[in-house]
Amino acid sequence: LNIIEQLLNDYDADCELRDAYGQTVLHLVSKLRYYKIVKILTDSSTSTSDLSTLQDDDGLLPIHAISTGLLTSKTQQEGHDACKCMEILLLKYPNSIYGIDFSDTTVLHLLVQGIFNSHETNSSLSSSWVQEMKEPILRMFTMLIHHNQVNDDDNVLLMEDESGWSCLHYMYEFIHLTFKNNNKSDNKNDDDFKNDKDDDIKDIKEEEEEIEEITIRKPLINLLEKSISKLKLKSIQNDIYSMIKPKKAKSKYLLQRGAYHRIPIEDRNNVLQGEQTLENIAKKILRANNENNSSPTHKIVVLCGAGISTSSGIPDYRSKTGIYNTKDGKDAFSNFHSNPKQFWEFARKTFGPIFQDEEGETESGSGGRGSGRIKPTPCHYFLSELYKKNMLQRVYTQNVDGLEVRAGIPQEKVIQCHGTINTVICSQCSQFKPTSSTPFFNPPTSTQSEDDVEVEEALQCPHCGSPLRPDVTFFGEPLSSSFFMNQDYDFNHCTMLIVMGTTLQVYPFAGLLNKTSLLIPRLLINKELTGPFRSLNDGNHKFRDVAYLGTCDEGVKELAHLLGWNERDWLSSL
C-alpha cells in the first residue's frame, strides 16, 4: 500500500494505462477484491478522468470487475471484501451503478445471471456456494438497490441489455426453468406456459419451497420483489414472470469489442483510407516509399505457414490431404521417440526432394542442401524481393523446409518457429553438435524405387547412443528461444503485417497476429478466411484488415503487380 501511494503521489503514476486486455489497474484490483487499493486509487487526484467510466476491451467497467470479484469469492471474507470495493466505488462514483458494457449489461445483470445459474451463461456456481455466500450476496444487492434511483428512467432494475431483458427477466427465467425441471409430470411447452401463466405462477408459488435451488435463493428473490413493490412496479412482475417477452438477437458486443473503441474514427480511416482492399495495401507501401526514396520506411513482418510451399510439392498439414490427416504422417510426427525409424522413412519421402537433384542424387553443396528438386515458390521469392528492397523486418515461418533461406533471405531475417528439417540434433543430450541432415536422405539404389527405400537405422548419437532427431518441434514440446527473442523489437517497429498460407490454429504462433499496434494494416493471403479475418465486415474495428482469397502464389503475384514489380525480375530464379 505504501509503495502504491508513493507511485501515485511522488511519481504521478498513470492510473489510466491498460494491460493487454484493456484493463486498468482499478479493473484488476477490483476483480481481486483489494478494497484498500481501490480506496487509494479512487482517492487519488493524479487521474484526469473518471476511473469508473474506463472500459476494457470487452466494454466492462470497474463495477463489473467488482461483481466478478464477488462471483469468484471462495470464502465469506472474500465476498465481504468485494462488498467493500463496491461501497468505496459507489461512494466516489454513485452513477457508476448505471454503467453498461458493449452488450448493455449492467452490474445487476452480471450478478443475477451468475447467482441464479443462468442456463444461458452455463454458470458453474452451485447452490452450496450461494448458501455459503448468502450474507455478502445480500449485502451487495442491498447496497446496489439502496443506490438505485426511484424513477423509471434511471432504474437499474429495469435497464435492459442488448437482448431486451432486465436482470429481473433472468431471475424469473431461472425460477420457471427450475420449476419445470423439477416437476417431472409437467410436459408443457413454452407456449403452454405462456397461455396458462396465471395457473403456472400459482403452482410455482406453491411448489418452490420444495425446490432447493429456489429455496436457497429465496431471500434474494424476496429482496428484489420487495424493491419492485416499493417502486410501484408490480405490473412488471407478471410480464416478466410469464416470459412473454422474447429475446432480441445480439450483435452490438461483437461490433464494438476490442481495444479499437478507444481510437478516434479518423485515425482508423487513415490506415487504409477507409477501403479494405489489396489495392490500398499496395498504395500504403508505395506511399511510404515515395516519401522516403532513399530509405524505405516500411518494416513488413510476415507470418507464413505450409500454404506457401504446397506449389513446390510439399504437402500442407491440416487440409483434407495434409500430413496430419494421413495415418502415416500423424503417426510419424507423434511417435518419434517410440519409433524414430518410422519418422525418418516418412520424412525422406516427404522432404527428401529438397536435398536431391533431378537424378535423385543427394547434393553436398551449401551444407549438403544443394539446389534440390523441390524449389522455392513465387511466395518465397516475393519475400526475398521485400528483403532486397529493404522492406522486410522479419519472416516468422511455421515451415520446416528451409525454402525461405533457399530463396535468398538471410538466415537472421527468418525465424523458423517450429524448427528446421535441415539439421539434426540428439534426442537426449546436448553434446551432439547440430549437423546437416543430408545423411538421412540417401537416394534409392538402382534396384529400388524411391517409395520402397527404408531408412535401415536412425542414426545414433555418438555421445549417448540415443536416436538423432530433426531440429523441429514435435507435439507438446516448447518452442525454441529464437521464437521469442526478436518479437518485441519486430512488432514494435512493424509497419505492416502479411499473413500467408496458415490456418492460424496453432499457438503460440497464431498469437503473433495480435502483437502489432492497433493502427497497423494486416493482409491475409489464403485460400480461406481464418482467425480474425473471418469477420472482415463486422464493425468499425476491421478498418485495418484485408483478405485476398486464392492461392498464395496468385496473391503475391497480384500484389507485386499492384506494386509495379516486373515478374521477369523478381521471379527470374524460377
Side-chain angles (χ1 to χ4, degrees):
L1 294 176
N2 290 334
I3 292 173
I4 291 174
E5 286 184 320
Q6 187 177 12
L7 288 172
L8 291 171
N9 298 328
D10 297 343
Y11 295 94
D12 295 329
D14 188 351
C15 296
E16 298 180 36
L17 292 179
R18 315 289 184 134
D19 68 4
Y21 305 100
Q23 299 174 112
T24 66
V25 65
L26 184 56
H27 283 90
L28 298 173
V29 297
S30 296
K31 191 183 299 183
L32 295 170
R33 304 171 293 275
Y34 293 161
Y35 65 91
K36 292 182 180 179
I37 302 180
V38 170
K39 174 69 172 171
I40 293 174
L41 293 173
T42 54
D43 286 345
S44 171
S45 59
T46 60
S47 177
T48 58
S49 302
D50 180 345
L51 295 179
S52 70
T53 64
L54 300 181
Q55 295 176 297
D56 68 9
D57 291 352
D58 288 319
L60 296 174
L61 299 161
I63 195 168
H64 295 110
I66 294 175
S67 70
T68 301
L70 176 65
L71 296 174
T72 56
S73 297
K74 296 181 179 179
T75 64
Q76 276 200 16
Q77 183 58 55
E78 289 184 350
H80 285 297
D81 288 346
C83 291
K84 292 178 183 177
C85 290
M86 184 66 75
E87 185 177 13
I88 293 168
L89 190 75
L90 291 177
L91 185 63
K92 177 72 174 182
Y93 306 112
N95 287 332
S96 62
I97 190 175
Y98 305 109
I100 57 176
D101 68 4
F102 291 152
S103 57
D104 296 341
T105 300
T106 67
V107 62
L108 279 180
H109 279 104
L110 287 183
L111 288 169
V112 167
Q113 290 186 63
I115 293 168
F116 284 89
N117 286 319
S118 167
H119 292 260
E120 183 173 310
T121 59
N122 295 317
S123 174
S124 61
L125 298 180
S126 63
S127 293
S128 60
W129 180 90
V130 176
Q131 180 73 11
E132 171 69 21
M133 301 298 295
K134 182 170 62 176
E135 287 186 17
I137 288 172
L138 288 173
R139 178 182 173 186
M140 178 78 76
F141 274 85
T142 301
M143 189 188 315
L144 291 169
I145 290 171
H146 173 74
H147 279 79
N148 186 35
Q149 300 295 323
V150 296
N151 59 78
D152 291 359
D153 293 334
D154 292 318
N155 193 326
V156 72
L157 287 167
L158 304 183
M159 289 177 66
E160 296 179 347
D161 64 11
E162 185 182 0
S163 69
W165 276 23
S166 70
C167 64
L168 300 171
H169 284 87
Y170 290 101
M171 179 180 75
Y172 288 123
E173 176 198 39
F174 169 81
I175 296 173
H176 165 48
L177 293 177
T178 301
F179 173 73
K180 289 188 72 175
N181 290 337
N182 283 271
N183 190 343
K184 304 301 181 182
S185 63
D186 185 4
N187 294 319
K188 296 179 181 179
N189 57 35
D190 285 339
D191 290 334
D192 294 330
F193 182 78
K194 294 172 186 176
N195 294 333
D196 300 331
K197 61 183 180 182
D198 294 334
D199 291 338
D200 280 349
I201 292 171
K202 180 180 178 182
D203 290 340
I204 290 176
K205 293 288 188 180
E206 294 173 352
E207 296 287 340
E208 63 185 11
E209 294 299 333
E210 301 176 9
I211 301 175
E212 180 187 14
E213 292 89 342
I214 294 178
T215 303
I216 289 175
R217 294 162 175 79
K218 188 66 176 176
L220 184 53
I221 295 171
N222 290 339
L223 176 64
L224 292 173
E225 290 189 331
K226 184 178 180 181
S227 301
I228 297 173
S229 178
K230 279 187 176 181
L231 297 174
K232 298 181 180 180
L233 297 169
K234 192 69 177 178
S235 60
I236 194 176
Q237 180 173 337
N238 285 342
D239 173 64
I240 296 172
Y241 228 143
S242 65
M243 303 290 290
I244 62 174
K245 185 175 183 178
K247 290 183 181 179
K248 300 175 185 176
K250 294 184 178 182
S251 60
K252 286 179 62 176
Y253 169 74
L254 293 177
L255 293 178
Q256 299 182 73
R257 70 184 300 267
Y260 311 97
H261 71 273
R262 293 189 292 274
I263 301 176
I265 189 66
E266 297 81 7
D267 293 345
R268 299 183 224 174
N269 289 335
N270 284 337
V271 174
L272 291 172
Q273 306 306 307
E275 294 186 21
Q276 301 160 245
T277 64
L278 192 64
E279 289 82 359
N280 275 15
I281 288 286
K283 289 178 182 178
K284 183 85 172 178
I285 296 174
L286 292 172
R287 187 163 52 249
N289 289 346
N290 290 336
E291 293 171 355
N292 298 273
N293 286 324
S294 59
S295 178
T297 57
H298 261 297
K299 295 183 180 296
I300 299 174
V301 174
V302 181
L303 309 182
C304 52
I308 73 167
S309 293
T310 51
S311 64
S312 72
I314 299 175
D316 63 19
Y317 290 84
R318 298 181 184 278
S319 70
K320 292 181 179 179
T321 58
I323 289 175
Y324 293 157
N325 282 321
T326 64
K327 186 178 187 305
D328 288 346
K330 189 172 183 180
D331 290 346
F333 275 87
S334 301
N335 303 322
F336 172 82
H337 294 288
S338 60
N339 194 346
K341 177 181 175 182
Q342 178 189 33
F343 171 84
W344 283 112
E345 287 175 351
F346 179 84
R348 182 182 178 282
K349 293 176 182 178
T350 305
F351 299 104
I354 295 175
F355 302 87
Q356 298 162 5
D357 62 18
E358 298 297 338
E359 286 72 39
E361 296 293 332
T362 305
E363 297 195 356
S364 57
S366 185
R369 289 159 61 184
S371 59
R373 284 182 288 164
I374 286 182
K375 300 182 183 299
T377 67
C379 280
H380 296 102
Y381 287 115
F382 176 83
L383 300 181
S384 180
E385 191 69 12
L386 287 178
Y387 166 71
K388 292 175 183 177
K389 295 182 181 297
N390 198 29
M391 291 190 287
L392 183 67
Q393 176 63 29
R394 200 88 60 188
V395 175
Y396 286 78
T397 178
Q398 293 175 288
N399 301 333
V400 298
D401 51 44
L403 293 181
E404 297 86 5
V405 176
R406 183 79 60 87
I409 306 172
Q411 183 67 63
E412 62 269 19
K413 283 288 185 179
V414 180
I415 303 298
Q416 294 168 309
C417 303
H418 297 160
T420 174
I421 199 78
N422 291 298
T423 57
V424 295
I425 58 175
C426 178
S427 57
Q428 293 295 329
C429 77
S430 59
Q431 297 183 56
F432 182 80
K433 184 178 180 181
T435 189
S436 170
S437 56
T438 301
F440 294 93
F441 295 96
N442 292 319
T445 64
S446 58
T447 59
Q448 294 173 306
S449 69
E450 184 170 332
D451 288 341
D452 291 335
V453 174
E454 293 185 354
V455 178
E456 295 299 330
E457 293 291 340
L459 296 185
Q460 294 181 333
C461 174
H463 301 285
C464 70
S466 299
L468 298 181
R469 57 170 283 178
D471 193 9
V472 300
T473 302
F474 287 127
F475 291 115
E477 294 180 342
L479 301 188
S480 69
S481 59
S482 63
F483 174 76
F484 304 95
M485 192 177 301
N486 298 290
Q487 283 184 26
D488 286 346
Y489 183 87
D490 288 344
F491 288 95
N492 285 337
H493 290 80
C494 171
T495 59
M496 181 175 291
L497 184 70
I498 299 179
V499 184
M500 298 194 296
T502 173
T503 60
L504 292 176
Q505 292 182 11
V506 179
Y507 285 82
F509 176 87
L512 295 174
L513 188 71
N514 299 315
K515 285 187 171 291
T516 62
S517 164
L518 297 177
L519 293 175
I520 297 301
R522 305 187 300 188
L523 168 66
L524 173 73
I525 300 177
N526 210 37
K527 286 185 176 180
E528 59 186 13
L529 296 176
T530 187
F533 296 95
R534 290 193 182 97
S535 51
L536 281 174
N537 299 314
D538 287 351
N540 294 326
H541 62 292
K542 295 302 179 183
F543 58 91
R544 63 171 177 157
D545 289 345
V546 177
Y548 175 94
L549 293 183
T551 69
C552 293
D553 289 345
E554 293 169 345
V556 297
K557 286 180 180 180
E558 178 64 21
L559 180 56
H561 172 73
L562 293 170
L563 292 171
W565 295 1
N566 190 325
E567 280 195 17
R568 286 178 296 180
D569 296 332
W570 69 276
L571 286 180
S572 60
S573 298
L574 278 179

